[in-house]
Amino acid sequence: MSIRFRISLYLSIVLFLGFSFLAVVNSVISYDNLKSEVESNSAITSERWSLEVKDTLDSAMFYARGFRSPLIFTSPARESIIVSIKEVIERNPNFFALWLVFEPNLYDGKDSQYKSAFAHDSTGRFIPYVFQSGEKGKAVIRSSIGYENQDGTGDFYQIPKKKNIYYVSEPYRYKSENVDTMMISIVAPISKDGFFRGACGIDLKAEELQKKFGEVKPFRNQGYMTLISPSGLYTVNGKDPSLIGKKITNPQELDLFLKQSQEGKNFTFNSDEHTHYYFPFHVGKDKRYWVMQVSVPDSIYKDEMFKTIITRALTAILILVSVLVCLNFIFQKLITAGLLKAIGFSEEIADGNLIAQSSHDKKDEIGTLLGSMNKMREDLLKVLREIGSSANTLRDTSE
């Protein structure tokens, strides 16, 4: 094994270990940077889409509050109110429905005149429900239903009635002769001096919210988003839309959600090979927190680490090969060529050619070696000449 090969081998091992160490360090740094980027991006993404959701829901709350405000102090003709509701729905395709429900005989005291009338119940109670027909710019007018239900599907009216508060309902299934869908209701109470008379609400279809927000990929075109109600019901689910209207399935996640979200704290949870980032926010005057969840797959870390390691390894190999090529050139130019001259020069001397000359004129280790060999050649030549001279003298004397 030549010296050049051994030196190259040792240097290769040292360089490989050095680059491996640097690759590990860079991988750790890359992982930390990626994690920070994911967290920062998730926060920014969640804030952005939380504002989008909030804007959508606040817009509905604004219309509900605006429509009910004059009804606190006046009682226009019921027919004109129905026409106004119809105009609002036809001009706002993002709203599925706008409705009013008044307590018995508390609108204008004329319920007895409207028994079983259009947009009323059999007692004459004023309960118009106007919703999108499915045909652009056209609305359908019916009577509200389900508002007296006590099984949770009537909470959109029962909670504002009992607590006299603004309310954004949990997602619930609404069924009628024309409609069967999951929706949420944004409700403003109609009350004066603390006395509840009724409520005005706007309904939004969960499927429309799903179309708008459920298809968002929050990080590098990966992951998904969900919108979760205060009690832990999915209103939007970018991973599995069939879960809309259902509670968080993981018991630990649900417990953490119920505890942290209503304190208004951001938090994270790991499940299903995803890291979930939760960001609570308010809607209108509803004091409860809704939550935007941004979920990023853990595989993104593995993929990034794999890419980093491969990149670093290829870089190390390329640098290593380049260094070895350069070292080989340097050895060839500075050492090997000089050593070959020294070997050739020594072989000339060994063969008895004491008049051979070295052509290496550089003042380096090889030059010193050749200089020493040249001095040895001259000394040998001098000794041989002296021996020859002594031999001649001895021969002349003997004669």
Side-chain angles (χ1 to χ4, degrees), residues 344-357 373-374 377-378 380-381 384:
F345 187 47
S346 64
E347 288 177 347
E348 289 284 340
I349 295 173
D351 290 339
N353 183 10
L354 298 180
I355 61 172
Q357 295 292 325
M373 293 177 68
N374 192 52
R377 177 191 63 79
E378 291 176 351
L380 285 173
L381 184 59
L384 288 176

Side-chain angles (χ1 to χ4, degrees), residues 210-385:
Q210 176 71 20
K211 289 178 184 178
K212 188 172 183 179
F213 304 110
E215 298 178 1
V216 176
K217 304 295 182 184
F219 188 77
R220 296 184 181 179
N221 204 32
Q222 297 186 63
Y224 62 92
M225 296 199 314
T226 59
L227 175 64
I228 309 175
S229 74
S231 67
L233 294 177
Y234 290 114
T235 306
V236 171
N237 192 307
K239 182 181 181 182
D240 185 0
S242 67
L243 293 176
I244 293 174
K246 298 178 181 178
K247 279 202 171 186
I248 296 171
T249 55
N250 187 313
Q252 291 180 332
E253 183 181 1
L254 180 59
D255 289 343
L256 180 66
F257 174 88
L258 294 176
K259 179 180 179 181
Q260 297 288 338
S261 65
Q262 295 313 304
E263 293 178 1
K265 296 179 180 179
N266 296 348
F267 60 99
T268 61
F269 186 81
N270 291 87
S271 66
D272 303 324
E273 298 183 344
H274 282 73
T275 299
H276 310 290
Y277 300 87
Y278 300 83
F279 302 88
F281 64 96
H282 285 299
V283 177
K285 291 188 175 183
D286 190 342
K287 295 182 179 180
R288 302 170 306 154
Y289 284 96
W290 286 67
V291 176
M292 179 61 73
Q293 172 189 320
V294 176
S295 300
V296 179
D298 295 335
S299 61
I300 198 169
Y301 296 103
K302 298 175 185 176
D303 294 342
E304 190 66 22
M305 288 294 290
F306 180 75
K307 290 178 183 177
T308 300
I309 291 172
I310 292 298
T311 301
R312 298 293 188 273
L314 291 175
T315 302
I317 291 172
L318 289 174
I319 294 175
L320 187 60
V321 170
S322 300
V323 169
L324 290 177
V325 170
C326 292
L327 285 175
N328 186 64
F329 176 78
I330 292 170
F331 273 118
Q332 182 68 31
K333 192 75 175 175
L334 300 180
I335 299 176
T336 305
L339 287 175
L340 290 175
K341 288 180 181 179
I343 292 170
F345 187 47
S346 64
E347 288 177 347
E348 289 284 340
I349 295 173
D351 290 339
N353 183 10
L354 298 180
I355 61 172
Q357 295 292 325
S358 169
S359 61
H360 192 86
D361 55 357
K362 295 181 179 178
K363 295 181 180 181
D364 53 16
E365 288 80 358
I366 301 296
T368 302
L369 174 62
L370 287 171
S372 298
M373 293 177 68
N374 192 52
K375 186 175 183 303
M376 179 187 69
R377 177 191 63 79
E378 291 176 351
D379 290 342
L380 285 173
L381 184 59
K382 183 178 180 181
V383 169
L384 288 176
R385 284 174 178 170

